Amino acid sequence: FGQKRNAAGYALIAVLVFSPKLFAIKTIDYQRRLNPKFTKRVRPETRFIIVHSTESRLPSALRTLSRGKVRRGLYVTLGGHAHYLVARNGAIYKIVDPKFWANHAGVSMWNGLEDLSDYSIGIELEGYHNIPFSEAQYSSLERLLNELKEKYQIEDRNVLEHYRIA
């Protein structure tokens, strides 16, 4: 009886320790920094997740993704360029709530469907396409992808890299 009780206790501990809710992704809510001129509109459907590289460092990426692109001291876009950014240290920044449209895919097409920002969630990885991403980024990206794929019922084949749709 003592061994059964210990086994049951260990099973309970395993359930508590390895519960998916305990591993819920902690994000840094960056939505308050979103350009106030960015119009939030609900995206009618979510079919894809598009993964991008920022091609810049974290401060510049956060500023551009949330506030907009600047040319000659003036904003030429209104921000809202991604839903999430995964920093090199693994921190996840939530820039636009994934229920809203974000202008991350630009001129895009996949299997005859155009304007993929209308159908997708955009995740940016801090860094450059020619420099390997960090293990912390890959770990956070995996957790974020798993959560979003489950929530929106997105299959692996519909998680795309930006170069495939641009």
Side-chain angles (χ1 to χ4, degrees), residues 14-26 143 147 150-151:
V15 167
L16 291 174
V17 169
F18 296 107
S19 169
K21 294 293 181 195
L22 293 177
F23 288 112
I25 297 169
K26 302 283 190 237
R143 291 174 29 224
E147 185 175 287
E150 181 179 330
K151 181 175 182 176

Side-chain angles (χ1 to χ4, degrees), residues 52-54 88 125-129 131-135 137-138:
H52 312 261
S53 62
T54 61
R88 289 201 57 81
L125 294 174
E126 176 198 358
Y128 300 87
H129 70 279
I131 298 172
F133 295 108
S134 72
E135 288 300 318
Q137 281 178 296
Y138 282 126

Side-chain angles (χ1 to χ4, degrees), residues 98-117:
K99 72 181 177 187
F100 295 119
W101 177 88
N103 185 24
H104 63 91
V107 177
S108 54
M109 184 174 66
W110 183 251
N111 289 338
L113 186 64
E114 296 180 358
D115 300 322
L116 268 73
S117 290

Side-chain angles (χ1 to χ4, degrees), residues 31-41 65-68 73-81 96 101:
Q31 296 175 87
R32 60 183 163 65
R33 304 263 181 118
L34 192 59
N35 189 328
K37 293 182 180 180
F38 176 77
T39 303
K40 292 181 182 176
R41 62 180 169 97
L65 296 172
S66 64
R67 303 299 293 174
L74 300 172
Y75 283 105
V76 295
T77 66
L78 301 178
H81 293 295
V96 176
W101 177 88

Side-chain angles (χ1 to χ4, degrees), residues 28 54 56-59 61-62 65 84-95 123-127 133-141 144:
I28 299 165
T54 61
S56 64
R57 303 284 306 204
L58 185 62
L62 284 170
L65 296 172
Y84 296 94
L85 181 146
V86 181
R88 289 201 57 81
N89 67 2
I92 298 170
Y93 292 83
K94 185 178 189 179
I95 298 166
I123 301 173
E124 294 275 353
L125 294 174
E126 176 198 358
F133 295 108
S134 72
E135 288 300 318
Q137 281 178 296
Y138 282 126
S139 178
S140 292
L141 177 62
L144 180 58

